[in-house]
Amino acid sequence: MNDLHRDTHLATKRPHADKPVDVAGVRITHPGRVVYPDDGITKGEVAAYYAAVADWILPGLINRPLSMVRCPGGTDSACFFQKHHAAKLGSSVRPIPLEEKDGGEDDYVYISDRKGLLQLVQMNTIEFHPWGSRVDKPDSPDRIVLDLDPAPGVAWEAVVEGARGIRELLAGMQLTSFVRTSGGKGLHVVVPFRRGPRWQAVKDFCERVAVAMVERAPDRYIATASKAQREGKIFIDWLRNARGATSVCSWSLRARDGAPVAMPLRWEELGKVDSGAAFGMQAALERASRLRTDPWEGMATLQQRLPRG
């Protein structure tokens, strides 16, 4: 099966009894509980997915403060974001004390290994949303995410064209960028850089990029979150690049019908993908098993700098 084909059918065997199972050294309770009702995907299969793609997902996830989307009753019930630490999350789910907006301090969450990842899955985590900075220097970001969010009715080809336009704009600033499907409607353009700029400078830079895209084609793009003005346009969401803001990470499932995955791509693959939710869980597993090199190869060693304002 082509690894760019969306297919959420799972060939893995479900347990006959809903007894706890061991997945990568972590005890997963209620593995037979259905998490994605429309697709019949169980908690055990979600855990098996994250164990299988751990080597791919962890580089973009470990040692970063993160928020999780947890769905204790499955994706058709009340899911919620969680960013604060609790002991019940697991022994390998670690606290990081961070200053809050109100000036107080609270413990946020981070993980450092596969065990922490699976312990969060055991606690019904479906989605992983890391910060753009690491726990050793949480106020020194090292990556940005520009999210292309199309209004209803905008053609997918226009979203692809927008991502390529951002890539071209960034290349003109001597910045290499990377692309992934969001697992939703759009695409993310991701830029790693050397730590140094503070959050406000990074946010200001992202706003300038979004505004530059709007100036190029005001009939296609918008840089404000106003829904009233978004009809027929693509929102270049630069607001995710602030302290405490997050974006879904590569290889994360989304808590949506079809169990779509946020999938990193090579730029040359972008033309072969037909939507932001092109990869279901099974297609992502097959892609992970076939990949020989990281689609974002070289990202971790890039030493590029953001231009100053």
Side-chain angles (χ1 to χ4, degrees), residues 54 57-59 61-66 90-96 109-120 128 135-136:
I57 193 173
L58 286 174
L61 188 59
I62 60 172
N63 298 326
R64 293 180 181 273
L66 65 93
S91 59
S92 291
V93 180
R94 306 178 186 279
I96 171 71
V109 170
Y110 78 100
I111 61 173
S112 296
D113 55 24
R114 182 188 306 247
K115 186 175 181 181
L117 173 70
L118 270 296
Q119 285 181 341
L120 286 176
F128 294 88
V135 293
D136 61 331

Side-chain angles (χ1 to χ4, degrees), residues 27-302:
R27 184 174 182 264
I28 303 296
T29 60
H30 306 294
R33 179 192 294 156
V34 175
V35 175
Y36 288 91
D38 289 348
D39 306 279
I41 297 172
T42 66
K43 180 181 177 182
E45 288 168 336
V46 169
Y49 167 77
Y50 277 116
V53 303
D55 288 344
W56 295 111
I57 193 173
L58 286 174
L61 188 59
I62 60 172
N63 298 326
R64 293 180 181 273
L66 65 93
S67 297
M68 307 87 68
V69 174
R70 295 177 60 200
C71 302
T75 58
D76 65 339
S77 66
C79 298
F80 59 93
F81 265 96
Q82 180 170 342
K83 61 184 180 180
H84 290 120
H85 184 266
K88 67 179 181 180
L89 293 175
S91 59
S92 291
V93 180
R94 306 178 186 279
I96 171 71
L98 294 174
E99 184 179 344
E100 301 269 46
K101 289 181 180 179
D102 62 7
E105 189 176 85
D106 208 339
D107 285 341
Y108 283 60
V109 170
Y110 78 100
I111 61 173
S112 296
D113 55 24
R114 182 188 306 247
K115 186 175 181 181
L117 173 70
L118 270 296
Q119 285 181 341
L120 286 176
V121 175
Q122 157 58 16
M123 294 303 292
N124 304 298
T125 298
I126 300 295
E127 300 185 10
F128 294 88
H129 295 245
W131 283 33
S133 62
R134 289 171 271 167
V135 293
D136 61 331
K137 292 185 178 181
D139 290 308
S140 295
D142 64 357
R143 66 182 53 181
I144 60 175
V145 177
L146 295 163
D147 178 12
L148 289 89
D149 183 8
V154 173
W156 174 249
E157 291 76 15
V159 182
V160 171
E161 183 180 354
R164 289 171 172 162
I166 292 176
R167 182 195 189 193
E168 177 187 353
L169 184 63
L170 293 167
M173 305 176 193
Q174 286 74 55
L175 289 172
T176 297
S177 59
F178 300 82
V179 67
R180 69 171 165 236
T181 62
S182 68
K185 297 182 297 179
L187 291 167
H188 291 171
V189 177
V190 182
V191 183
F193 55 91
R194 291 184 64 174
R195 293 193 289 193
R198 306 294 277 184
W199 279 113
Q200 188 59 53
V202 169
K203 186 177 179 182
D204 291 346
F205 171 79
C206 293
E207 182 179 17
R208 292 196 300 274
V209 172
V211 169
M213 288 293 293
V214 173
E215 290 174 346
R216 284 185 172 190
D219 57 325
R220 299 182 191 177
Y221 308 116
I222 187 170
T224 62
S226 170
K227 290 188 177 181
Q229 302 176 42
R230 287 178 60 183
E231 185 176 353
K233 297 181 181 180
I234 299 169
F235 174 36
I236 309 293
D237 186 354
W238 53 274
L239 298 169
R240 299 169 179 269
N241 301 286
R243 189 183 190 278
T246 61
S247 297
V248 71
C249 71
S250 297
W251 296 95
S252 175
L253 287 163
R254 306 305 303 269
R256 304 175 182 183
D257 290 348
V261 174
M263 181 60 67
L265 303 172
R266 300 177 181 90
W267 278 105
E268 56 268 27
E269 292 181 297
L270 190 52
K272 303 174 184 178
V273 173
D274 61 7
S275 79
F279 290 85
M281 189 164 79
Q282 181 65 24
L285 284 168
E286 293 169 0
R287 177 169 168 83
S289 70
R290 294 177 182 180
L291 283 174
R292 294 295 173 262
T293 58
D294 191 338
W296 287 3
E297 187 175 15
M299 180 176 184
T301 57
L302 272 179

